[in-house]
Amino acid sequence: MAFRLVLILTSALLQMLALPPWRIVPLAAIALVPLLIALRGVCVRTGALLGVCWGTLAMWGLGYWVPIALARYYQQPAWFGVLFSLAASVVFAGAYAGGFAACVCALTRPREGVGRVIVVAALWVAWELARARLLTGDPWLLL
């Protein structure tokens, strides 16, 4: 499990570096590879948990400034900024990434090769679209 967590952290770091303010755009092409490797061979429940971890870490990497802004600009206690940001990261990114990961684990197990690639790509687009349009519609920092 520790190796899977290292893969999740690596994937979140690659996504963070691919998007602003770093904008190392070529990393976007490989950012999900460690996540997908971590999801190979795990049950749906574990996959969902790994996805929530990935989404939350990726959002924290990109939104590291939110707790600071809450504390300084809105004059809130630092603990409030951290807790609010953690909750928002789980809801607005972690939940969708967890859904994506659970679907990958459930729907790609019998598939290999091109079929698997097509299903994973379609799932990623569908979950990113859902994050952008459903509930609160948070299209911020989509890969």
Side-chain angles (χ1 to χ4, degrees):
M1 187 62 158
F3 181 66
R4 291 185 197 280
L5 293 176
V6 169
L7 288 170
I8 296 296
L9 182 60
T10 302
S11 181
L13 179 65
L14 289 172
Q15 181 182 4
M16 179 188 78
L17 293 173
L19 297 169
W22 296 276
R23 290 191 180 124
I24 306 172
V25 178
L27 293 179
I30 60 167
L32 294 179
V33 172
L35 170 65
L36 296 173
I37 292 170
L39 294 176
R40 288 292 293 226
V42 299
C43 68
V44 174
R45 185 176 179 173
T46 302
L49 181 61
L50 289 171
V52 169
C53 290
W54 178 85
T56 303
L57 283 170
M59 191 56 69
W60 266 88
L62 295 163
Y64 61 89
W65 53 270
V66 174
I68 298 166
L70 287 170
R72 290 186 185 160
Y73 184 75
Y74 293 107
Q75 299 177 354
Q76 297 299 317
W79 64 265
F80 175 80
V82 169
L83 287 180
F84 181 84
S85 297
L86 179 60
S89 296
V90 170
V91 171
F92 296 121
Y96 291 101
F100 163 75
C103 287
V104 166
C105 292
L107 299 176
T108 64
R109 189 165 300 197
R111 292 176 179 78
E112 291 295 329
V114 175
R116 181 180 177 89
V117 171
I118 291 170
V119 169
V120 169
L123 286 170
W124 180 258
V125 171
W127 280 97
E128 287 263 283
L129 182 63
R131 185 164 73 98
R133 306 280 184 189
L134 295 179
L135 302 175
T136 61
D138 182 25
W140 189 55
L141 300 169
L142 299 173
L143 191 57

